[in-house]
Amino acid sequence: MSFKKASIFSALSLSFLLVGCSDKEETQNFDSVSEAVNYTITGIEPGAGISESTHNVLNEYENLTGWDIEESSTAGMLALLDEAIKNEKPIVVTGWAPHWKFEDYDLKFLDDPKNVYGGTESIHTLARLNFDRDMPNVYKILDAFHWELDDMQAVIAEGEKSSFEEAAENWVMSNEEKVNGWLEGTEQGNGEEVRLVSVPWESEMASANVVKTVLTQRGYNVTLTEVDPAVMFQAVATNAADVTVAPWLPTTHQSFYESHKDNFIDLGENMTGARSGLVVPAYVDIDSIEDLEPK
């Protein structure tokens, strides 16, 4: 899910060739939002968790009979979303929060009465077995680590403009009271190595770099490695990594969690309110998946 805006918008010219151009006047001639988007959901990579859930949505909602998912890439989806908003055209995309698009655009999730996307999720902190014994001070900091969705989205938005390392450092400096709460009752480190593993999504680049900054300033030598979700869980479960603050539960990463749950320590939530589902611009006059019409 991690893509810089520059690469996203460089895909616009290709997107025009794929979808053609239609102006506001043409869009207004359609009888419904469903017709205007050609009964198509604009998605991301095939095989992504949200893509699999969206295929389930088409099966679960009778009113989506005849609908298709246009799967391409996260960058392609965001390019089409940007162009639709510039022209005030309807579009239905697969979306997730936290993400910078909610900072840059006025968007809304469509209600999911059948709860196919699983509602809101929490992001958890997982540590390898015996980490609490081997590095009790780091364990205590990570056990206390908790922040809000607005905190994460602020780091994401700044990270897209500069770097996630710089954005994390600025956030830590500006939120001294919250960070001190995580550090309470712990001792300064002496250069001990902490192996932090994460996934290359904007949300997790934000949280991982904040944790890395805090632990580095506390005297630890932190290595941050970004891998696929399956590798992330395997690394913690096999002691190839010490900790991750990236797993989305109970839906997005549930299968990986269940496969390895006996081989790591779950320290609980570090953020609540994460969400995935179908997203439309706020000006689109529908509020629920059930407001869409069959083809």
Side-chain angles (χ1 to χ4, degrees):
M1 293 186 187
S2 175
F3 291 87
K4 291 292 184 182
K5 295 181 186 176
S7 65
I8 291 165
F9 299 138
S10 69
L12 281 171
S13 58
L14 176 61
S15 300
F16 295 149
L17 293 175
L18 293 174
V19 303
C21 297
S22 59
D23 57 22
K24 299 177 192 178
E25 298 299 326
E26 185 179 354
T27 300
Q28 291 170 357
N29 291 330
F30 289 109
D31 292 331
S32 69
V33 170
S34 301
E35 184 181 1
V37 301
N38 196 27
Y39 306 95
T40 298
I41 296 166
T42 301
I44 60 168
E45 294 81 1
I50 192 172
S51 298
E52 295 176 4
S53 295
T54 303
H55 282 287
N56 292 335
V57 163
L58 296 190
N59 292 327
E60 291 293 327
Y61 284 88
E62 294 181 3
N63 59 299
L64 296 183
T65 299
W67 278 68
D68 294 313
I69 307 171
E70 184 75 33
E71 292 178 320
S72 59
S73 67
T74 302
M77 178 274 287
L78 291 167
L80 292 173
L81 176 64
D82 179 75
E83 184 59 25
I85 289 173
K86 285 179 178 176
N87 290 282
E88 296 183 21
K89 292 167 50 181
I91 188 170
V92 181
V93 304
T94 54
W96 58 94
H99 190 272
W100 62 257
K101 62 182 176 290
F102 286 93
E103 294 285 320
D104 283 18
Y105 307 123
D106 190 6
L107 305 172
K108 62 183 177 182
F109 280 99
L110 295 182
D111 292 338
D112 177 17
K114 295 181 182 293
N115 202 36
V116 179
Y117 287 108
T120 58
E121 294 194 86
S122 299
I123 305 177
H124 283 228
T125 300
L126 307 181
R128 64 171 173 81
L129 296 179
N130 298 320
F131 188 63
D132 51 341
R133 181 195 66 192
D134 298 339
M135 302 193 75
N137 284 293
V138 178
Y139 182 91
K140 190 170 184 178
I141 293 169
L142 292 170
D143 193 28
F145 168 59
H146 189 282
W147 62 341
E148 305 300 327
L149 185 140
D150 287 345
D151 295 321
M152 180 181 276
Q153 292 202 153
V155 177
I156 293 171
E158 183 180 344
E160 288 291 338
K161 296 180 177 68
S162 56
S163 71
F164 281 91
E165 293 84 355
E166 183 179 345
E169 290 172 2
N170 290 337
W171 186 90
V172 169
M173 184 171 56
S174 299
N175 290 270
E176 184 176 351
E177 183 177 353
K178 181 173 290 188
V179 172
N180 285 340
W182 306 339
L183 300 175
E184 186 175 354
T186 65
E187 299 176 1
Q188 188 77 8
N190 293 300
E192 299 94 329
E193 181 182 5
V194 179
R195 300 166 300 168
L196 178 63
V197 66
S198 191
V199 292
W201 303 350
E202 289 96 338
S203 55
E204 307 322 313
M205 292 167 71
S207 59
N209 277 283
V210 165
V211 167
K212 179 180 179 180
T213 298
V214 170
L215 293 178
T216 300
Q217 292 179 357
R218 197 62 170 167
Y220 296 94
N221 179 22
V222 182
T223 58
L224 171 57
T225 306
E226 294 177 349
V227 295
D228 290 335
V231 177
M232 173 181 70
F233 275 85
Q234 185 178 19
V236 176
T238 61
N239 292 349
D242 294 312
V243 66
T244 179
V245 293
W248 286 41
L249 298 168
T251 304
T252 302
H253 292 140
Q254 184 65 20
S255 61
F256 303 127
Y257 185 96
E258 290 296 327
S259 296
H260 298 287
K261 65 182 180 181
D262 294 330
N263 296 308
F264 56 68
I265 306 168
D266 186 347
L267 283 70
E269 303 165 348
N270 62 61
M271 200 202 75
T272 58
R275 185 178 179 185
S276 60
L278 296 186
V279 171
V280 298
Y283 56 75
V284 175
D285 192 22
I286 57 172
D287 297 302
S288 170
I289 295 175
E290 291 184 334
D291 292 335
L292 297 169
E293 300 170 343
K295 186 172 182 180

